[in-house]
Structure formats: C-alpha cells, structure tokens
Amino acid sequence: MLNLLRSLIPGKRHGAATRASHAAEPPTDVVVADAGSFSISSHLSHENGFPLLDWKAARAWVDTLADSRARSAAWAQCEQAWLEHLRSALGPACHLRKSGDSLLLSTLEPNVANATLEFMSKTLRRVVRVLEGIAQAPEEGKHILIVFDDDDTYYRYVSHCYPTAGEFAASSGMYINAGCGHFVTVKSDLRAVEPVIAHEMTHACLSHLPIPAWLNEGLAVNTEHRLSPSGMPTFTPRQMHAKHLAFWGDAEIQEFWSGKSFLRNDDASMLSYDLARILVSQLSGDWERFRSFALNADLSDAGASAGREHLRLDLGAVASVLLEREAAAAWTPDPATWLGAPERGAFR
C-alpha cells in the first residue's frame, strides 16, 4: 500500500516546507516547569555520524519527577529532542512529522509520510482491538519510525546494535529497543517493516503484564500474522511439524517454558516462536477463558498455575498432544529445572 502511494506521487521536493521545518536548531535542553532541566547536548555521543542519547541518564532524570504526567511528558520531550538532532545529522531534506502518538523521521513525500503515520496509528488501535481485554496502549513514550534513504545509511546506523565481529543476516527493517524503542527501515521498501511494527507494538501493549516469554511471543506472532501477513514461509506446515517432532524433548521443553530456547542460535529459536504461535492459537479458542488466563499468567512458573485455574488445563499436557508425545510430568513447567531467571520475551 505504501509503495503504491509513493509510485503515484510526483518526485518533486517541497523546498519551502523543507526550509521552514529546519529553521530551528535542535534543542540543547529539555525543560520541565518547576522540575529543572536535562541537558541533551551533554548526554549525546556520536557513532558513525549519528547522535546517540544516553537513555539511562535521561531515564534517571525523568524518574526524579514526582508526577506521572510530568514524567511522561518529559520522556516524550527527550525522544523528540534526540530525533531533532538525528534529523539535523541526516540532512536538510529530512523531516520529523508527528501524528497522535507516532513520530516519523524521513525524507518521504508528505502524502506518503502521512500514510505511514496513519498505518502506525491504525496498527496500535488494531492491536488493542484484536487483543481485547489483554492489550493496552503504553502510557509513556511515542511510536517512532526512522526511514533511511539507502541501505548504506541504514546499515551504518544499525551497526551499533551488533557486536564488532561476526557475520549477520541482511535486513530491511527492525526494531531497536535501546533505551528509546524505535523502528528503522529503508525508503525503498517500507512494507518490509510493517510486520515488525505489528509484532513490536503488540509487545509494547503487553508490557504491563508479567507474562512468560512463550505467551508474550505467541501473542505477538499471531497478531503480526493477522494484521500484516508476510510472504511465503520458509518451510511447509508438514516440514515444520517434522522439525518439531524431531527437536522437542524433556530438556528442550523446559527451555521453552523458561524462555531460554528463544535465545538459542540454532533451530530452537525458530521452533520456539512457532510452538508459541500454535499454543496461543489453540488456547485462545475460548477468548473469555484465555483472557483470564493471560491476565493472570506469570513468568515465574510459565503460566502453569493460571493454566490450571483459568483454562483447567496442564500446559505440559497440551504441548505433549501438539507434539504427539505421551503426557508426562517432565513436560509440565518446572522452574526448579530452569537455568537462570525466566525470560519475559520481546526479544527482537
């Protein structure tokens, strides 16, 4: 949809609007009435030509404010101030636009930029509607999308998220959760980031709940597929089922319940996301019961107690049936066997 809009719009630049939007210098401070100020300029560093804000310092300052509304407003000002500095670094053709709780930094033509902002706002509304009674819009922070003009600029920017050594898969859109969560993509293919936005907005709308990783990711994947279907999958359902049957055992299923299997660098990660998707799809057939389960599930036991109380099911037994195994106690979530604290999810 966004690519089609872009193809229909003439390529001329709106020079006057561009000059007007860049008349002011980026702010050096964020000031909150009766609460002091935070120096943006003294907490900025630069990497590969891009300004990076010390978000830990920003958070520490925001947390000194007593009023919740003041904290929310101060954090939003820090986000916008940083984006103004980034806009300046990206050049005079770059605009920062806002619609509701969404911010867009790009050189996109106005009509395309507006359509992009509308997609972000619409996606948030749809996530809350699809996950009725479970999801809620975050009270703090904006939804931020940065669209770079070309692959080189994109990869220079995202390089600070990767280790200095190693080989990494190519991408055209991703979510960066480093203090200030934001989406990034490349101008040539805006659609590539749409599933990422749907997935990560779901996580943001679930952040108020202490749910386990498998439930967090299962809800996010199912919502992503519903709101922004992607292309052909890598494996057929038959192939994926065979992979599941060959992989999961007693030790592996406990890694799944603890969330650790999502972090492995082999097929375990792919299979964990898929198993989480299947479990949520199966368990949510009765939405009222599932909603009660999700609102009471806790990562400390992978939602096992909530499953027994609100679904009247043993989660291990459900997983056993799906993976064609005999039900066994070893498949029920058992925190005593987990290595380290359980994971909350929202890994991307």
Side-chain angles (χ1 to χ4, degrees):
M1 183 269 289
L2 296 176
N3 285 334
L4 176 60
L5 278 172
R6 185 174 63 243
S7 70
L8 296 176
I9 297 171
K12 68 177 182 179
R13 297 290 180 191
H14 299 266
T18 299
R19 285 193 296 272
S21 66
H22 288 81
E25 289 294 317
T28 58
D29 301 276
V30 167
V31 181
V32 175
D34 302 323
S37 64
F38 177 74
S39 173
I40 295 293
S41 56
S42 64
H43 289 94
L44 280 177
S45 60
H46 290 79
E47 187 166 335
N48 293 332
F50 302 108
L52 303 177
L53 188 64
D54 183 345
W55 292 106
K56 289 184 178 180
R59 170 55 64 189
W61 173 70
V62 167
D63 286 346
T64 65
L65 307 179
D67 184 72
S68 60
R69 287 177 295 182
R71 290 195 297 272
S72 180
W75 184 258
Q77 288 184 59
C78 288
E79 290 179 329
Q80 180 148 345
W82 165 64
L83 287 170
E84 290 286 359
H85 282 271
L86 182 56
R87 172 192 58 74
S88 181
L90 290 173
C94 200
H95 299 265
L96 179 60
R97 291 184 170 87
K98 178 180 178 181
S99 176
D101 286 333
S102 298
L103 290 166
L104 171 65
L105 185 62
S106 73
T107 62
L108 294 170
E109 298 287 351
N111 286 356
V112 182
N114 290 338
T116 304
L117 283 165
E118 174 57 26
F119 171 80
M120 295 173 70
S121 297
K122 181 176 69 175
T123 298
L124 177 61
R125 295 193 298 269
R126 294 178 71 190
V127 168
V128 173
R129 186 170 66 249
V130 167
L131 300 180
E132 179 187 4
I134 299 176
Q136 66 180 41
E139 295 181 356
E140 186 177 273
K142 302 296 183 182
H143 300 292
I144 299 168
L145 173 61
I146 302 169
V147 181
F148 295 102
D149 277 356
D150 52 66
D151 288 343
D152 179 65
T153 309
Y154 170 82
Y155 282 112
R156 280 197 299 113
Y157 179 80
V158 303
S159 65
H160 75 274
C161 302
Y162 292 95
T164 55
E167 296 183 1
F168 309 98
S171 70
S172 53
M174 64 186 296
Y175 180 72
I176 297 175
N177 189 14
C180 167
H182 57 286
F183 306 96
V184 294
T185 191
V186 184
K187 191 175 182 179
S188 61
D189 191 5
L190 281 173
R191 289 187 62 86
V193 81
E194 290 181 5
V196 181
I197 290 174
H199 187 105
E200 297 302 335
M201 278 192 176
T202 303
H203 283 316
C205 292
L206 296 173
S207 61
H208 62 291
L209 297 173
I211 56 178
W214 72 266
L215 181 56
N216 202 341
E217 294 299 342
L219 286 165
V221 172
N222 276 287
T223 305
E224 170 194 336
H225 289 178
R226 181 168 176 177
L227 301 186
S228 187
S230 55
M232 293 294 293
T234 304
F235 300 102
T236 67
R238 183 186 294 273
Q239 290 171 327
M240 283 297 292
H241 188 61
K243 284 180 173 290
H244 278 298
L245 297 185
F247 177 78
W248 296 106
D250 294 354
E252 289 77 16
I253 202 66
Q254 292 301 330
E255 284 190 356
F256 174 78
W257 296 130
S258 71
K260 301 300 183 184
S261 61
F262 290 86
L263 300 171
R264 287 175 49 166
N265 58 5
D266 55 7
D267 277 356
S269 179
M270 172 187 69
L271 294 172
S272 294
Y273 280 100
D274 195 56
L275 180 56
R277 174 191 64 81
I278 296 169
L279 276 169
V280 167
S281 179
Q282 293 294 318
L283 295 175
S284 60
D286 183 331
W287 185 254
E288 293 301 319
R289 285 189 178 183
F290 179 77
R291 179 169 58 189
S292 295
F293 162 72
L295 292 175
N296 290 277
D298 194 278
L299 78 165
S300 63
D301 69 349
S305 297
R308 287 190 292 268
E309 179 178 353
H310 297 278
L311 298 174
R312 301 191 183 96
L313 292 170
D314 180 280
L315 294 179
V318 176
S320 298
V321 171
L322 292 174
L323 297 171
E324 301 180 15
R325 303 272 303 213
E326 291 289 335
W331 276 51
T332 297
D334 183 5
T337 67
W338 300 348
L339 299 177
E343 302 290 340
R344 295 182 62 94
F347 298 114
R348 293 188 190 178

